[in-house]
Amino acid sequence: MGQDIEWFDHPGGEPAVVVPASPRWAEEAADWLRRIGEALAEPAVRLEHVGSTAVPGLPAKPVLDLLVAVPRLDDEASYRPALESLGLVLRAREPGHRFFRPPAGEPRTVHVHVCEAGSVWESDQLCFRDALRADTGTARAYARLKQPLAATVGHDRAAYTSGKSEFIRSVLAECRFGAEEAP
């Protein structure tokens, strides 16, 4: 795990389990995004369903990844109380990103990632999701990587994340190259 990440509580402990895609993920994400939008006193610049559960047909851990882009990430008072009112807790603080999820011991059903609008973090999340949505071959390759990886790492979510890193970096490099080539 990155040295510049400030963790609250101990991360991990739950198995990395990849399950078949569910059509309910989109509905559940829309409900969470609506609730987050209503709870925020200062509207978010962007609310998005990202990650594997946002890609139709892609097997994934049954945990929704939601992106909340705010005007100023360091102004935690503008979003943290709202997210906490929904039963989420701040689990990690790192440069460019805040990570919220249900408290330890409760089912991990959603991850809320807060970033600054217009940031590289925001762009990377959207680019990766959109690349998987646009290219079924890339999505299938990602699924072929994730399923056996989850089966071998057990409860080591950090190893699961690390095992996907090179694939993600290569997709993001293609996204950036494509963006540079666009007129």
Side-chain angles (χ1 to χ4, degrees):
M1 290 182 212
Q3 292 174 283
D4 54 352
I5 300 176
E6 177 184 8
W7 286 97
F8 304 95
D9 200 4
H10 272 298
E14 296 147 347
V17 176
V18 174
V19 300
S22 169
R24 298 225 1 101
W25 289 339
E27 297 166 22
E28 292 166 4
D31 183 55
W32 266 104
L33 292 171
R34 179 191 52 76
R35 292 172 50 212
I36 291 169
E38 289 173 356
L40 291 170
E42 183 177 318
V45 174
R46 179 187 298 261
L47 297 169
E48 295 277 347
H49 182 196
V50 296
S52 295
T53 60
V55 181
L58 183 64
K61 292 188 320 286
V63 180
L64 303 172
D65 284 296
L66 307 176
L67 179 144
V68 178
V70 296
R72 291 183 13 251
L73 182 64
D74 290 338
D75 183 12
E76 289 184 13
S78 71
Y79 58 85
R80 185 173 176 178
L83 296 176
E84 289 173 343
S85 77
L86 298 173
L88 303 169
V89 295
L90 178 63
R91 292 297 301 264
R93 181 184 290 123
E94 64 180 312
H97 173 243
R98 303 296 184 267
F99 171 60
F100 292 80
R101 63 159 273 198
E106 291 190 21
R108 186 189 291 223
T109 57
V110 64
H111 291 165
V112 176
H113 305 276
V114 182
C115 64
E116 196 154 305
S119 67
V120 171
W121 206 95
E122 176 187 34
S123 175
D124 283 353
Q125 297 303 308
L126 298 172
C127 178
F128 187 70
R129 178 203 61 194
D130 293 347
L132 294 177
R133 284 179 173 176
D135 184 349
T136 57
T138 301
R140 281 194 303 272
Y142 192 45
R144 285 192 304 271
L145 168 69
K146 291 173 19 151
Q147 290 172 309
L149 182 61
T152 59
V153 300
H155 286 68
D156 190 347
R157 283 190 178 232
Y160 176 75
T161 299
S162 178
K164 300 182 303 177
S165 294
E166 184 56 39
F167 182 91
I168 293 168
R169 276 193 295 275
S170 71
V171 171
L172 290 175
E174 288 180 32
C175 285
R176 290 183 189 118
F177 179 75
E180 290 173 6
E181 294 292 310

